[in-house]
Amino acid sequence: MSVIELANPSRFLALSGRALPWLAAATVLAFVVGIIQISFAPDDYQQGATVKIMFIHVPAAWLSIFGWLLMSTAALGTLVWRHPLADVAAKAAAPIGSAFTLMCLVTGSLWGRPMWGTYWVWDARLTSVLVLFLMYLGVLALWRTIEDPTQAARAAAVLTLVGAINVPIIKFSVDWWNTLHQPASVLRLGGSTIHPAILVPLIVMAIAFTLLFLTLHLAAMRNEIMRRRVRSMMMLQAAASSES
Amino acid sequence: MMHLGPHAAFIVTAYAAAIAIIAGLVAWIVLDQRHLARMLEEFEARGITRRSGRTDGQKW
């Protein structure tokens, strides 16, 4: 079976329909394991129990960027190959990515207040993530503004690829500028600086959140295909009523 | 019972916010799926099928 055949919407619906229950079950299982591990994870010697916020904040932050990278890859599919399933993948990822970015901002703010003494500071990391959130909202607005899905997909793809410039800025903001936000402590050259007793639950939660993202994305893609079918049928109905 | 220390309110609020955002996302996707499935069923019940319109090059 070729990639083009796999990317056929009907075939995608059949395959994703089979994969979705397994993916959902794996997500629930990963969260159960993660939550058990969090309950046994020790407090940080400096931050105390607030380190538990890290188990949701860090995966949300990773997935906010992952969502944009996924949309950027799909944008290439839209602009280069003009494949309608790439449009569907990009559109379905936008609300999910924005939700994870909101989660990152809210949990980070709630972690910042007891540790930094403030909910918010305009440092490079926090501001660049806020910009990411606003760009997600911009893409969502663009999808809603243009009625024709193909035209909307192209406009959203251009905006997504322009917005991808922000991804390395978010990642390296803590190295390029003097920020209140701490530098990278997991994905860094020289290895993680986190003790395994805290690192392992963090990785399990990151896997659980990633599975959740993929499950929701697959379900949202299926919805988007159905939405386009409804739109086609509405157009058929309108054409039939204008003829009669 | 897990001891969350002097900043328990911040930790609990952060987890509650995460649960609320995920629950909202799941609810939106499930409700959207039900709404779209119902619409497709209604169209098919009225005899409007997607395949009948595919001769004009429609992709969906």
Side-chain angles (χ1 to χ4, degrees):
Chain A
M1 190 184 295
S2 72
V3 175
I4 295 295
E5 279 175 326
L6 272 174
N8 172 283
S10 294
R11 198 175 295 272
F12 173 81
L13 279 181
L15 286 174
S16 62
R18 285 205 292 272
L20 208 49
W22 292 100
L23 209 49
T27 304
V28 172
L29 185 66
F31 269 111
V32 169
V33 174
I35 289 163
I36 291 169
Q37 290 203 326
I38 288 173
S39 63
F40 289 109
D43 291 349
D44 182 73
Y45 78 108
Q46 281 183 319
Q47 303 190 32
T50 61
V51 76
K52 292 199 179 337
I53 297 176
M54 179 181 70
F55 299 123
I56 46 175
H57 172 72
V58 172
W62 286 345
L63 287 166
S64 66
I65 294 174
F66 172 77
W68 200 273
L69 291 176
L70 196 153
M71 280 165 50
S72 302
T73 309
L76 288 175
T78 295
L79 295 174
V80 179
W81 293 284
R82 305 200 167 200
H83 200 289
L85 208 57
D87 307 355
V88 168
K91 189 178 178 188
I96 302 167
S98 67
F100 277 98
T101 312
L102 178 65
M103 194 191 297
C104 167
L105 288 167
V106 171
T107 56
S109 189
L110 287 161
W111 195 7
R113 182 69 184 87
M115 291 301 103
W116 298 339
T118 180
Y119 286 105
W120 184 262
V121 62
W122 292 98
D123 85 358
R125 171 57 69 85
L126 276 67
T127 307
S128 56
V129 174
L130 180 64
V131 168
L132 178 72
F133 181 60
L134 295 175
M135 286 191 318
Y136 270 120
L137 297 185
V139 167
L140 286 170
L142 198 57
W143 274 109
R144 284 188 159 270
T145 309
I146 304 170
E147 199 186 341
D148 178 52
T150 310
Q151 283 184 347
R154 281 179 201 157
V158 172
L159 180 59
T160 302
L161 289 176
V162 171
I165 295 166
N166 193 36
V167 171
I169 294 175
I170 295 171
K171 167 68 184 154
F172 296 109
S173 56
V174 287
D175 303 319
W176 293 341
W177 293 285
N178 186 18
T179 57
L180 188 56
H181 193 284
Q182 67 177 61
S185 50
V186 182
L187 302 172
R188 61 190 285 278
L189 292 172
S192 169
T193 57
I194 302 177
H195 191 276
I198 294 175
L199 182 63
V200 172
L202 175 62
I203 290 170
V204 174
M205 285 300 279
I207 293 168
F209 271 91
T210 307
L211 287 169
L212 175 67
F213 190 109
L214 295 175
T215 305
L216 293 174
H217 187 233
L218 213 56
M221 279 182 75
R222 290 170 59 80
N223 284 359
E224 185 53 30
I225 291 172
M226 286 165 71
R227 195 179 335 279
R228 289 175 186 221
R229 289 187 171 178
V230 166
R231 188 173 183 274
S232 291
M233 287 182 176
M234 278 178 166
M235 289 167 76
L236 282 172
Q237 190 182 30
S241 10
S242 64
E243 279 170 17
S244 58
Chain B
M1 185 66 190
M2 214 185 305
H3 181 64
L4 297 177
H7 305 301
F10 292 100
I11 301 165
V12 172
T13 310
Y15 275 79
I19 291 167
I21 290 168
I22 292 169
L25 208 51
V26 172
W28 167 66
I29 289 172
V30 169
L31 292 175
D32 193 31
Q33 190 273 333
R34 285 185 189 167
H35 169 69
L36 291 164
R38 201 166 46 240
M39 284 188 83
L40 281 174
E41 278 171 20
E42 281 172 15
F43 275 117
E44 283 174 16
R46 273 185 267 157
I48 303 164
T49 55
R50 190 176 53 89
R51 296 208 176 273
S52 64
R54 294 196 71 170
T55 49
D56 59 357
Q58 293 211 26
K59 294 169 189 149
W60 305 98

